[in-house]
Amino acid sequence: MSNEANTATDAAGTDNQGAAGNIASYIDHTLLKPEASEAEVLKVCAEAAEYHFKSVCVNPIWVKTVKTALRGSGVLSCSVIGFPLGATPSDVKAFEARGAVLDGADEIDMVINIAAARANDKGALVDDIRAVAEAVHSGGAILKVIIETALLDDAQKVLACEAAVEAGADFVKTSTGFNGGGATAEDVALMRRTVGPGLGVKASGGVRSLADAQAMIAAGATRIGASSGIAIVKGEQGSSAY
């Protein structure tokens, strides 16, 4: 992850056309609506291949479909776990993650035990994240940890990020996009300061334009989660809520 961290500001200081092209490689092209159809999932995969996004991020039931559709494209497959509430026992999250990796997920985005973060219970957070990290890493995939910044104060955000580092995660991530709020440059900067250069930081939730993405990257993000990826790379304004 250090290579991504080291290139975090590459897109921020260039012109819009150059930045847009570079930013495509930061974007996890996302479709997490529970009602999403196979046709919609395949459309997102085709878009990701066309625009050279980093990954396609979907719910676990679509991982096999995405893996097949993206074969040979160079685009990674990503799935969410314990999503969107994080209120699932750790062993169930680990089981779900292991299944997604077996189905072909290259990356896993898990939601933490938010109640533990709000209770300042770092031990419970570490245990929760470590269980999933071990399952994910045993299959050769990487783990992003969603801390759901909108539901935490700054001290709790720091605690959750510290727990992710201790538990062996590869990334920390701002938001699900489903529980209010979303990514802010201030939260991304706080997360980057907390985890240092060794972990990735993913900004997700409400990133809908090139300017939004540039601001997140300038603050320290190394990945952008968005369903408005095409609008971002075209320099347009996206309308998606995620």
Side-chain angles (χ1 to χ4, degrees):
M1 294 304 98
S2 58
N3 287 340
E4 291 195 1
N6 289 338
T7 60
T9 59
D10 284 354
T14 58
D15 60 43
N16 277 3
Q17 183 176 359
N22 193 26
I23 283 174
S25 66
Y26 285 73
I27 292 174
D28 289 345
H29 198 37
T30 302
L31 179 59
L32 294 170
K33 297 185 299 182
E35 73 273 21
S37 67
E38 182 177 17
E40 289 174 312
V41 171
L42 291 173
K43 180 174 183 288
V44 166
C45 290
E47 292 168 348
E50 177 182 355
Y51 288 92
H52 306 290
F53 292 133
K54 185 68 174 182
S55 83
V56 169
C57 187
V58 292
N59 285 303
I61 60 169
W62 296 116
V63 171
K64 288 183 179 180
T65 301
V66 167
K67 190 69 173 181
T68 300
L70 293 176
R71 187 169 292 129
S73 69
V75 179
L76 301 176
S77 54
C78 175
S79 185
V80 291
I81 296 299
F83 191 89
L85 302 178
T88 308
S90 301
D91 57 347
V92 176
K93 290 181 186 177
F95 178 85
E96 186 182 17
R98 191 174 296 110
V101 173
L102 287 172
D103 283 347
D106 301 296
E107 302 185 340
I108 295 294
D109 290 17
M110 71 165 285
V111 186
I112 63 166
N113 179 341
I114 298 167
R118 288 172 63 94
N120 300 305
D121 188 345
K122 186 178 181 182
L125 288 173
V126 171
D127 290 345
D128 185 52
I129 298 166
R130 181 176 287 141
V132 180
E134 290 175 352
V136 169
H137 292 155
S138 68
I142 73 165
L143 177 64
K144 309 190 202 90
V145 173
I146 307 171
I147 69 170
E148 202 66 293
T149 51
L151 300 181
L152 305 178
D153 63 29
D154 283 356
Q156 293 162 348
K157 294 168 194 173
V158 168
L159 183 76
C161 287
E162 290 175 343
V165 173
E166 186 173 336
D170 303 292
F171 271 78
V172 288
K173 174 179 170 181
T174 58
S175 319
T176 63
F178 282 75
N179 288 316
T184 68
E186 293 77 15
D187 281 341
V188 169
L190 176 64
M191 294 164 71
R192 170 56 65 204
R193 289 194 301 271
T194 303
V195 302
L199 265 68
V201 175
K202 179 174 173 179
S204 65
V207 183
R208 302 188 185 97
S209 69
L210 178 58
D212 290 340
Q214 287 175 314
M216 299 304 168
I217 292 168
T222 52
R223 195 75 68 88
I224 303 293
S227 52
S228 297
I230 294 174
I232 290 170
V233 300
K234 286 184 173 182
E236 299 171 354
Q237 180 68 41
S239 59
S240 172
Y242 181 79

